[in-house]
Amino acid sequence: MSGNQGMEQLIPLVNKLQDAFSSLGVSLNLDLPQIAVVGGQSAGKSSVLENFVGRDFLPRGSGIVTRRPLVLQLIFSPNGEWAEFLHQKNKKYSDFDAVRKEIEDETDRMTGHTKNVSNAPINLRVYSPHVLNLTLVDLPGMTKVPVGDQPPDIEHQIRSMILEFVKNENCLILAVSPANADLANSDALKMAKEVDPQGLRTIGVITKLDLMDEGTDAREILENKLLPLRRGYIGVVNRSQKDIEGRKDIRAALAAERQFFLSHSAYRHMADRMGTSWLQKTLNQQLTNHIRDTLPKLRSRLQSQMLSMEKEVEEYKNFRPDDPSRKTKAMLQLVQMAGVDFEKQIEGGGGENVNVRELSSGAKINRIFVERFPFELVKMEFDEKELRKEISYAIKNIHGIRSGLFTPDMAFEIIVKKQISKLKEPSLKCVDMVVNELMTVVHFMTAKMNNYPVLKEETERIITTHVREREQRAKDQLLLFVDIQLAYMNTNHEDFIGFANAQHKSSHESKAKLGNQVIRKGNLSLSHGGFLKSSRDFWFVLTTENISWYADDQERDKKYMLPLDGLRIKDMESGFMSKKPMFALFNSNGRNVYKDYRQLELTCESQDDVESWKASFLRAGVYPDRSKEEDKSEDKKDNDLPSMDPELERQVETIRNLVESYMNIVNKTFRDVVPKTVMHLVVNNTKEFISQELLAHLYSAGDQSQLMEESAEESQRREEMLRIYHATKDALGIIGEVSAHTITTPTPPPVKDDWVPPPGPPSPGIRPGMRTAAAPPPPGNRAPGPPGPRATAPPPPRPGSTGPGLPAPMIPT
């Protein structure tokens, strides 16, 4: 048995594609051309497949036997017959009874000993000198009524499973229908019509021609005149159940099939275009046409896959893992890239690679200098009530038993030194925050060294050690700067108000000189109290005197304006319905801050936004809430403090104004010096270390070959990538070979196939057995073409016939 030579070369190439992208475990999701065998239960699908193989190997029984899709690859081989399952690699079956047993066992492994179905395919290859090269999919037979332990939706399950295969545009549909049933109501043809309305992918197969009633035939069906399909019908004669039980040889059955068509008067003239042999050859040519039609799409998808891998595979070409020169070059490149990445993260820059989703580490460090550090400084500023108490105690303790007539300048120096000492904590915290961001940059830039875990670990260790050394150096320098400030009180500073002006300065004068300046604008969500808090977005404007909110950033529809006098700020836990960070404004005297609400709850997008808004409120004079324990201790101290006389109050006011003026100078100096110190001693120094000294430290750290030892994951990924790349490249070569060595037959012209009803309740149709020469089919259901010679005259009418020359309707078996 032989097919056309071009097809025998084509199908092994298609099987190579399947091997390249499925057997090797590579998933490219390429829909390779296949032939799906579709039909109802007991339509003869299994017999057709066995005739292809030339062996009796498929499970037999009543009801639903095929419960999983069977992907069957028939491969011509002159070296004997055997079968292989994809789930049992390198195991050959020469006993086809064992093949049947393995199909049954593999089906039961997935579905159990029930009549349920599964869409997981069984992949089987059959090598034989008696088959042509074809790839087919045998699908469970369609049924409408659940049997035994089948679920109520068994019809839907099987239909969905079949549709998964036949709806693919690269799938040819082999619609199997028995000749002794109503062809117009064939479930296989209905489904084929649903997914292939043009009929370009559907081939009709008529079985059980030998079981038709005497005097009836399917000649006009097979001539594609009655109930036509675009690609026509092919008739086959399978073994009967008696032949199967009697173990009749399939090759003998094929010979008997050939003899049937040659001897039958209705089919003798087209015997060369009937039978299993012609069906094989027809399928070969149809598959050739279909594959050639889909080659451009397959080539495009493969080229897309290859282009996506080209850049990554380029570095693996001519790759030798143990090449010393390669290791040296790779290490130099990685260290150089690390320096470039560090500088980009800190210094920023334009270009296509700018992150538009989150801040870079350089931008975060800038936020620390501009917002977070000033916020920490403001938190250290004195509380008015607490400061006046401390000044009062200092003045009284300096005078001792005497009553002072003049304001003691020693009290000013004591209070100022205490306030300057408080600046150590925010200064050191600024260093910690910057160092944390630097460590994030280090982890980011060494991520490209994941392929070399030893190099990555050593690089992180060297840079981290250096950063920690510079961190300590910066902290020592800032502590020294605090000590320098404590060493000498420069009361001759040009911005210092002096004793003369301090006695007349009001604490609100500076604020009045500034006017109602805008400090910040932005979006915040205003939450309303209750268990299920509701929130709404507004546009907020914070000034030195009040906070207002508007409907939008046009600032036309003002909703409310809240004065800042007496307000405090505190942190809030996230609400039940939202995980966004929150903070609240409230009145220190306990009054409602906004309408009937005791506090104004505001929600931000991130914790960084919360910290930034808190820093802005501190600039506006809204200070954080003090704990209740501090309030209690202060109330107790207030009870111990006697009321001050007018002279003492004057002295306290003078010292307070002097302290405020001097601390404004100191805070301004710290806001300027601390960021500069951290940048010089930590950030810039680390950047220079990475670009100039890191490579030397790596060379001195140990053996270069050990540093550049690649990870097992990288080796596996490289091998996998190269395998995918070469498989894709080979597949493109195969497609080019197919295009060069095959030809395409023209597509048959369309036929009027509206006789196939849409899916739904069965409709009356014409039965194959109801045709005679005296009763031609309606013209609309005929396909053009010569009728061909008939071997015998039509039989005479039988008693009980429904018309002249029309035999009595038969009962399907």
Side-chain angles (χ1 to χ4, degrees):
M1 187 182 300
S2 62
N4 70 63
Q5 183 178 0
M7 197 62 215
E8 291 187 3
Q9 297 174 354
L10 174 64
I11 300 299
L13 301 183
V14 174
N15 290 339
K16 287 181 182 179
L17 287 174
Q18 291 175 323
D19 286 343
F21 304 129
S22 61
S23 298
L24 295 179
V26 179
S27 177
L28 288 181
N29 296 321
L30 294 176
D31 297 323
L32 295 173
Q34 292 178 326
I35 299 175
V37 183
V38 181
Q41 292 184 16
S42 303
K45 302 188 307 300
S46 298
S47 296
V48 171
L49 287 180
E50 287 179 336
N51 288 343
F52 279 124
V53 180
R55 287 286 186 174
D56 185 2
F57 71 100
L58 290 175
R60 294 284 182 174
S62 60
I64 182 169
V65 178
T66 304
R67 291 177 286 135
R68 289 178 59 182
L70 176 67
V71 179
L72 176 63
Q73 286 183 286
L74 306 180
I75 302 174
F76 175 80
S77 174
N79 301 322
E81 287 185 332
W82 73 92
E84 294 179 357
F85 287 95
L86 192 62
H87 63 272
Q88 292 181 336
K89 293 183 178 180
N90 301 324
K91 182 176 181 180
K92 294 184 178 181
Y93 289 83
S94 57
D95 182 1
F96 281 79
D97 289 335
V99 173
R100 180 194 302 112
K101 181 67 166 59
E102 179 57 28
I103 293 175
E104 294 173 348
D105 293 343
E106 180 64 15
T107 300
D108 291 340
R109 291 188 194 107
M110 183 65 67
T111 63
H113 298 281
T114 65
K115 294 186 178 296
N116 292 331
V117 296
S118 170
N119 59 1
I122 299 174
N123 293 273
L124 173 64
R125 279 185 171 184
V126 175
Y127 298 82
S128 173
H130 307 294
V131 300
L132 297 178
N133 297 311
L134 289 174
T135 302
L136 304 102
V137 181
D138 185 24
L139 295 164
M142 289 177 282
T143 184
K144 296 185 179 298
V145 180
V147 178
D149 54 2
Q150 289 180 346
D153 63 341
I154 186 67
E155 178 185 5
H156 174 72
Q157 287 188 25
I158 295 177
R159 175 181 170 81
S160 299
M161 183 192 310
I162 296 175
L163 283 175
E164 281 297 317
F165 287 89
V166 300
K167 71 181 181 182
N168 180 4
E169 293 183 0
N170 287 352
C171 178
L172 295 176
I173 304 170
L174 199 62
V176 180
S177 303
N180 58 354
D182 190 351
L183 184 63
N185 289 325
S186 168
D187 290 333
L189 292 177
K190 288 179 184 178
M191 183 168 290
K193 177 72 172 179
E194 179 181 351
V195 298
D196 181 29
Q198 300 298 321
L200 296 174
R201 301 189 285 118
T202 303
I203 302 173
V205 177
I206 305 298
T207 61
K208 302 186 180 182
L209 291 168
D210 55 331
L211 300 181
M212 297 181 67
D213 288 345
E214 184 179 355
T216 64
D217 58 62
R219 171 181 169 175
E220 293 194 351
I221 296 275
L222 296 176
E223 289 178 342
N224 208 31
K225 296 179 180 179
L226 185 66
L227 311 181
L229 290 177
R230 190 164 188 172
R231 295 197 179 276
Y233 297 89
I234 298 175
V236 297
V237 176
N238 298 321
R239 293 177 300 166
S240 66
Q241 188 65 32
K242 180 180 178 180
D243 294 336
I244 295 171
E245 293 174 354
R247 312 286 291 183
K248 183 177 181 179
D249 184 70
I250 289 183
R251 280 182 284 276
L254 294 178
E257 178 192 48
R258 174 70 174 167
Q259 183 62 33
F260 171 82
F261 285 112
L262 288 173
S263 61
H264 198 287
S265 58
Y267 311 129
R268 185 180 304 155
H269 68 286
M270 51 182 170
D272 290 339
R273 292 180 283 113
M274 291 290 114
T276 302
S277 176
W278 180 256
L279 177 60
Q280 290 175 336
K281 294 179 182 180
T282 302
L283 289 175
N284 276 337
Q285 188 56 53
Q286 300 294 352
L287 187 59
T288 302
N289 297 343
H290 190 74
I291 291 176
R292 285 185 59 88
D293 291 341
T294 58
L295 284 182
K297 186 183 296 184
L298 288 173
R299 181 183 290 109
S300 176
R301 297 179 66 177
L302 284 170
Q303 287 174 342
S304 298
Q305 294 282 351
M306 193 168 180
L307 287 175
S308 65
M309 295 183 291
E310 190 74 38
K311 184 178 181 181
E312 195 168 358
V313 170
E314 185 66 28
E315 59 181 291
Y316 295 144
K317 291 182 178 178
N318 304 320
F319 185 83
R320 291 183 297 164
D322 297 328
D323 185 5
S325 61
R326 183 200 64 82
K327 291 184 176 182
T328 301
K329 181 179 179 181
M331 188 169 74
L332 290 173
Q333 290 177 341
L334 289 172
V335 173
Q336 184 179 8
M337 289 171 58
V340 172
D341 289 342
F342 186 90
E343 185 170 357
K344 283 184 178 179
Q345 281 289 310
I346 298 301
E347 300 295 341
E352 298 178 355
N353 297 325
V354 175
N355 193 331
V356 295
R357 296 185 178 274
E358 62 178 359
L359 293 177
S360 66
S361 294
K364 291 180 179 179
I365 291 175
N366 177 69
R367 172 175 279 189
I368 291 172
F369 291 155
V370 175
E371 295 180 353
R372 299 290 297 278
F373 176 59
F375 169 69
E376 297 296 331
L377 284 180
V378 174
K379 286 203 301 186
M380 294 295 106
E381 287 185 1
F382 49 78
D383 178 82
E384 186 70 25
K385 188 176 180 181
E386 174 69 15
L387 178 64
R388 290 181 178 276
K389 262 193 311 180
E390 290 179 354
I391 295 174
S392 176
Y393 279 123
I395 293 175
K396 285 183 172 294
N397 290 333
I398 289 173
H399 288 310
I401 197 172
R402 300 179 300 277
S403 296
L405 298 177
F406 303 100
T407 303
D409 56 353
M410 186 64 67
F412 161 75
E413 186 171 343
I414 292 173
I415 299 300
V416 167
K417 286 185 176 181
K418 182 178 179 181
Q419 296 298 321
I420 292 176
S421 297
K422 292 181 180 180
L423 299 181
K424 292 181 180 180
E425 180 181 346
S427 300
L428 299 181
K429 188 172 182 179
C430 178
V431 178
D432 291 335
M433 290 188 290
V434 172
V435 168
N436 288 337
E437 285 300 329
L438 286 183
M439 299 313 300
T440 302
V441 179
V442 172
H443 292 309
F444 169 79
M445 73 181 199
T446 57
K448 295 182 179 180
M449 301 180 181
N450 286 336
N451 300 338
Y452 306 96
V454 179
L455 176 65
K456 178 183 178 181
E457 182 180 353
E458 190 64 21
T459 301
E460 289 184 351
R461 183 192 66 80
I462 293 173
I463 299 177
T464 301
T465 301
H466 180 79
V467 171
R468 295 302 178 188
E469 291 175 357
R470 303 309 300 178
E471 174 189 9
Q472 189 58 46
R473 174 73 183 276
K475 288 182 177 181
D476 292 341
Q477 186 68 26
L478 292 177
L479 292 176
L480 176 62
F481 185 68
V482 173
D483 292 339
I484 291 173
Q485 291 292 330
L486 293 172
Y488 177 69
M489 302 293 112
N490 183 16
T491 55
N492 292 321
H493 194 282
E494 58 184 2
D495 295 331
F496 186 59
I497 61 174
F499 275 87
N501 295 328
Q503 296 179 1
H504 306 288
K505 179 179 177 297
S506 170
S507 61
H508 300 286
E509 284 181 3
S510 59
K511 197 169 184 180
K513 290 179 181 179
L514 291 175
N516 191 24
Q517 295 183 354
V518 175
I519 296 178
R520 184 179 182 131
K521 296 181 179 182
N523 279 310
L524 290 172
S525 293
L526 178 60
S527 301
H528 300 293
F531 176 69
L532 297 176
K533 297 181 179 179
S534 61
S535 61
R536 183 179 173 187
D537 292 340
F538 291 101
W539 179 260
F540 281 78
V541 177
L542 175 64
T543 68
T544 54
E545 295 181 358
N546 55 63
I547 180 170
S548 307
W549 53 95
Y550 301 82
D552 51 43
D553 57 3
Q554 300 298 318
E555 299 182 14
R556 296 173 182 171
D557 183 11
K558 180 184 286 189
K559 298 299 182 181
Y560 201 80
M561 184 177 69
L562 184 65
L564 299 181
D565 292 338
L567 292 185
R568 292 290 185 94
I569 190 171
K570 67 178 180 179
D571 292 321
M572 291 282 296
E573 294 184 359
S574 299
F576 175 74
M577 301 297 291
S578 174
K579 299 300 181 182
K580 294 182 179 180
M582 303 174 63
F583 66 95
L585 300 174
F586 66 99
N587 258 320
S588 56
N589 54 17
R591 293 182 304 172
N592 290 342
V593 66
Y594 164 64
K595 295 184 178 179
D596 296 330
Y597 299 103
R598 302 297 296 272
Q599 60 186 20
L600 191 69
E601 299 177 6
L602 303 172
T603 304
C604 298
E605 290 296 325
S606 66
Q607 188 61 38
D608 287 341
D609 290 339
V610 170
E611 300 296 335
S612 181
W613 272 100
K614 286 165 63 177
S616 300
F617 274 105
L618 285 171
R619 289 172 55 194
V622 180
Y623 293 92
D625 180 30
R626 298 199 306 176
S627 64
K628 295 181 179 180
E629 290 75 10
E630 290 178 347
D631 291 339
K632 291 180 181 178
S633 62
E634 295 303 328
D635 292 341
K636 183 177 180 181
K637 291 181 180 180
D638 288 345
N639 294 333
D640 297 336
L641 183 67
S643 60
M644 292 187 292
D645 57 37
E647 180 62 23
L648 180 59
E649 289 183 1
R650 182 190 62 78
Q651 294 178 6
V652 169
E653 181 66 21
T654 300
I655 297 297
R656 196 212 71 82
N657 291 337
L658 291 172
V659 170
E660 182 184 32
S661 175
Y662 195 85
M663 288 307 300
N664 286 339
I665 298 172
V666 173
N667 283 331
K668 184 178 180 180
T669 304
F670 267 76
R671 282 195 297 269
D672 181 62
V673 171
V674 170
K676 292 179 178 178
T677 303
V678 176
M679 281 297 299
H680 174 68
L681 294 178
V682 182
V683 180
N684 291 341
N685 185 276
T686 301
K687 181 175 66 175
E688 293 175 1
F689 173 82
I690 293 174
S691 61
Q692 299 176 8
E693 303 181 34
L694 175 59
L695 187 61
H697 281 76
L698 286 172
Y699 274 119
S700 62
D703 185 9
Q704 177 187 346
S705 60
Q706 293 180 353
L707 285 176
M708 297 304 295
E709 190 72 28
E710 68 177 5
S711 63
E713 293 80 5
E714 170 61 14
S715 176
Q716 182 179 0
R717 191 181 74 88
R718 184 180 65 253
E719 293 176 0
E720 183 73 11
M721 179 63 66
L722 290 174
R723 182 175 63 177
I724 296 174
Y725 178 79
H726 290 303
T728 308
K729 191 174 182 180
D730 292 343
L732 285 171
I734 292 171
I735 290 178
E737 184 179 347
V738 171
S739 300
H741 293 87
T742 58
I743 60 174
T744 303
T745 58
T747 303
V751 297
K752 189 174 182 181
D753 59 356
D754 55 358
W755 61 271
V756 182
S763 59
I766 301 176
R767 298 165 62 117
M770 296 172 64
R771 182 212 57 78
T772 68
N781 284 340
R782 281 186 172 271
R790 286 189 60 86
T792 60
R798 295 189 301 179
S801 62
T802 58
L806 189 65
M810 68 177 181
I811 299 176
T813 58

